[in-house]
């Protein structure tokens, strides 16, 4: 086993293009979510198609510009390069395992794809070290197969829904949510993204659009309480409404619920929302304990559902670029 730090990988192969690597796990569900960012969109798109083809631990993947988010199973799985391995190369996430306070992802690449996993990705900020089974795995490019284990800190995912921070006269929840994310300097908390979630526009008690906001974080297990305390204090200090709702979910993937549709199409009561939140494992941390909890709950439900979260129920963007 040859072990190299990101700096040592960079020294050996020269600086390449990976900009971020974060591995989040939900050990209870046996799931992982991995965020990878490159400086260039083309490499991300090529990697996505090759990893889908090869299978392995990967179950789904989504592209956002020059980043990708991979859903994966915990465990080791043999990639299926098939004919692609002989004709056009290939690349695969072969496994995801938790070892103490670290996550180990195992990768395989053929030809130019081997450069991506053996030389580029191990340089990404967020990587602790790369472990190569043999010296041959460091001979990248050509028709060779390269294998590497990339070790990174263990993170979990925390989704925070926020609603009803404003009034008809003042404020905007999405602005406050983004200011909160940018102000957050909690050690061990990595801000991932923010989404605006369109709720039922026919709700009688709303400002204008009836839109909740959600913040997604990758969080080191020991930092979750600090993150939640910061968000609660920041939002409540700057909110101009007395009905502010704040809810969070700790984990990857919510259980199925009919309230995905209901929150966008029906008028719900606070009592029924609180009951369904308890069933799903969604927790409220706001002080108001008021109607804002309905929108905060809805924001959590749709917080990891892509662009459809911003639309009316059933509404999808027409066409892609």
């Amino acid at each position: 086993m040859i072990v190299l730090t990101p700096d040592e990988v960079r020294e050996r192969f020269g600086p390449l293009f990976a900009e971020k690597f974060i591995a989040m796990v939900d050990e209870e569900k046996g799931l992982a979510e991995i965020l990878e960012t490159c400086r260039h969109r083309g490499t991300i798109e090529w990697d996505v198609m090759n990893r889908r083809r090869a299978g392995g631990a990967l179950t789904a993947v989504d592209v956002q510009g020059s980043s990708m988010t991979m859903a994966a199973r915990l465990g080791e799985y043999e990639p299926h390069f098939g004919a692609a391995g002989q004709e056009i190369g290939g690349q695969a996430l072969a496994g995801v395992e938790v070892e103490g306070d670290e996550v180990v992802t195992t990768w395989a690449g053929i030809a130019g794809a081997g450069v991506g996993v053996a030389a580029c990705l191990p340089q990404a900020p967020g990587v602790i070290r790369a472990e190569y089974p043999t010296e041959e795995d460091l001979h990248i490019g050509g028709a060779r197969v390269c294998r590497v284990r990339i070790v990174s800190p263990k993170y979990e995912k925390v989704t925070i829904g926020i609603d009803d921070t404003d009034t008809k006269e003042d404020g905007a929840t999405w602005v406050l949510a983004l200011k909160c994310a940018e102000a957050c300097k909690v050690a061990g908390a990595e801000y991932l993204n923010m989404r605006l979630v369109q709720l039922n526009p026919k709700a009688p008690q709303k400002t204008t659009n009836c839109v909740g906001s959600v913040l997604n974080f990758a969080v080191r297990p020991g930092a979750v309480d600090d993150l939640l305390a910061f968000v609660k204090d920041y939002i409540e200090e700057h909110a101009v409404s007395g009905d502010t709702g704040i809810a969070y979910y700790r984990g990857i993937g919510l259980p199925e619920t009919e309230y995905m549709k209901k929150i966008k199409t029906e008028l719900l009561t606070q009592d029924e929302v609180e009951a369904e939140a308890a069933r799903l494992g969604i927790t409220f941390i706001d002080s108001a304990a008021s109607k804002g909890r309905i929108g905060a709950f809805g924001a959590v439900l749709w917080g990891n559902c892509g662009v459809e979260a911003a639309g009316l129920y059933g509404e999808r963007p027409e066409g892609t670029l």
Side-chain angles (χ1 to χ4, degrees):
M1 181 79 72
I2 297 95
V3 180
L4 300 178
T5 67
D7 285 343
E8 290 170 333
V9 175
R10 192 174 298 109
E11 181 178 350
R12 180 160 185 152
F13 298 111
L16 293 174
F17 318 108
E19 292 190 323
K20 181 179 287 187
F21 184 86
I22 297 175
M24 295 163 276
V25 295
D26 187 328
E27 293 181 81
E28 185 175 333
K29 297 190 186 78
L31 299 175
E33 188 170 301
I34 302 166
L35 172 66
E36 177 184 336
T37 300
C38 180
R39 287 205 300 275
H40 304 283
R41 177 173 176 168
T43 56
I44 286 291
E45 293 173 344
W46 193 92
D47 290 348
V48 163
M49 300 309 294
N50 277 264
R51 293 176 194 177
R52 279 178 169 170
R53 188 184 304 124
L58 186 73
T59 59
V61 61
D62 183 46
V63 176
Q64 316 90 26
S66 61
S67 295
M68 75 168 86
T69 301
M70 294 168 282
R73 304 169 288 173
L74 297 185
E76 289 281 346
Y77 304 90
E78 189 64 29
H80 301 289
F81 290 120
Q86 302 299 321
E87 297 172 6
I88 61 172
Q91 189 185 87
L93 172 63
V96 185
E97 297 178 293
V98 179
E99 296 184 0
D101 198 35
E102 298 175 335
V103 177
V104 180
T105 52
T106 304
W107 304 83
I110 299 174
V115 179
V117 296
C120 187
L121 198 54
Q123 299 184 24
V127 172
I128 297 173
R129 63 185 181 277
E131 301 173 349
Y132 301 85
T134 69
E135 184 68 33
E136 185 64 23
D137 293 293
L138 286 162
H139 296 164
I140 60 175
R144 300 181 182 88
V145 177
C146 299
R147 292 185 178 270
V148 62
R149 285 161 42 98
I150 295 177
V151 183
S152 60
K154 181 173 75 173
Y155 284 88
E156 57 183 277
K157 190 168 191 177
V158 177
T159 299
I160 305 174
I162 303 163
D163 196 30
D164 218 337
T165 69
D166 54 357
T167 67
K168 289 183 180 294
E169 294 76 32
D170 195 17
T173 294
W174 70 271
V175 173
L176 180 55
L178 282 175
K179 287 184 176 181
C180 176
E182 292 185 349
C184 181
K185 307 299 180 187
V186 174
E190 292 282 340
Y191 170 60
L192 298 175
N193 55 56
M194 174 268 199
R195 278 198 170 95
L196 282 78
V197 178
Q198 177 65 59
L199 305 168
N200 187 350
K202 295 182 180 179
Q205 293 179 301
K206 62 177 183 178
T207 48
T208 303
N209 293 316
C210 199
V211 174
S213 297
V214 66
L215 301 176
N216 284 305
F217 289 88
V219 193
R220 298 281 280 152
V224 174
D225 289 345
D226 289 343
L227 171 66
L228 294 173
F230 173 83
V231 172
K232 171 181 165 59
D233 290 346
Y234 188 97
I235 294 296
E236 293 188 339
E237 178 182 350
H238 295 88
V240 295
S241 165
D243 294 312
T244 296
I246 308 171
Y248 76 90
Y249 181 74
R250 188 173 176 172
I252 297 172
L254 281 160
E256 289 188 12
T257 172
E258 62 185 356
Y259 281 78
M260 291 283 292
K261 179 179 180 180
K262 285 185 173 183
I263 198 69
K264 284 178 173 277
T265 60
E266 299 182 19
L267 300 179
L268 306 178
T269 68
Q270 185 178 332
D271 286 344
E272 66 179 310
V273 161
E274 289 179 348
E276 181 66 2
R279 186 186 76 83
L280 296 174
I282 296 172
T283 303
F284 294 102
I285 57 173
D286 55 79
S287 302
S290 187
K291 65 181 180 66
R293 289 188 170 186
I294 299 173
F297 167 76
V300 173
L301 291 188
W302 283 89
N304 290 285
C305 294
V307 68
E308 288 84 2
L312 302 172
Y313 187 76
E315 189 177 29
R316 291 177 174 81
E318 296 295 333
T320 57
L321 293 178

